[in-house]
Amino acid sequence: FSQAFIKKYVRYARRMKPRLSEVATTRIAELYAEIRGANDIASGTLPITPRTLETLIRLATAHAKCRLSSLVEKLDVEKANEVLTFALTNETPVDKDYVPKEPEDEGGDGDDDSDDG
């Protein structure tokens, strides 16, 4: 993408004011309760406060803006949770659907395995 396109995209995205959907609101409340109840995070050096809840909402809203959506959806909340979890625990979530791509053969090295004789 060109620099001009990125600037235009950012200017447009800043105008977006996504609202929380009912599903997103419910999921944020569930996640906040889970984080508050989790001993491994709560017993660490970072306390889980209402500011954490605000952070989760801001991150979800930012993700919706990046998608140029006027509504914060469950997907946005899940992505926000991934970022917050990494920030609190320094652990990246495991994507169960991720399948690494095989490295592409650049070719041109003359080392093909064909038996042309």
Side-chain angles (χ1 to χ4, degrees):
F1 299 107
S2 70
Q3 187 175 10
F5 175 80
I6 298 296
K7 284 182 179 182
K8 191 179 221 183
Y9 174 84
V10 170
R11 269 195 309 265
Y12 186 79
R14 281 185 178 163
R15 294 188 306 174
M16 303 298 295
K17 303 289 184 210
R19 297 180 323 342
L20 286 171
S21 69
E22 195 66 37
V23 174
T25 303
T26 303
R27 185 63 183 139
I28 287 172
E30 290 170 357
L31 286 172
Y32 182 66
E34 286 175 22
I35 293 170
R36 292 272 304 179
N39 290 333
D40 56 328
I41 296 173
S43 65
T45 59
L46 294 175
I48 305 303
T49 64
R51 181 170 264 179
T52 308
L53 174 62
E54 293 169 354
T55 300
L56 196 53
I57 294 168
R58 279 194 308 274
L59 286 170
T61 303
H63 191 270
K65 278 186 175 188
C66 288
R67 293 187 311 105
L68 302 179
S69 175
S70 61
L71 195 63
V72 178
E73 299 172 0
K74 188 176 178 182
L75 166 74
D76 303 310
V77 176
E78 296 303 332
K79 293 299 180 181
N81 185 45
E82 288 179 19
V83 172
L84 185 63
T85 300
F86 179 76
L88 294 174
T89 64
N90 206 20
E91 293 178 6
T92 52
V94 177
D95 185 359
K96 296 172 188 158
D97 298 329
Y98 175 73
V99 178
K101 291 183 180 178
E102 293 292 325
E104 293 182 16
D105 186 14
E106 295 297 322
D109 60 359
D111 248 359
D112 60 10
D113 293 337
S114 63
D115 292 330
D116 290 337

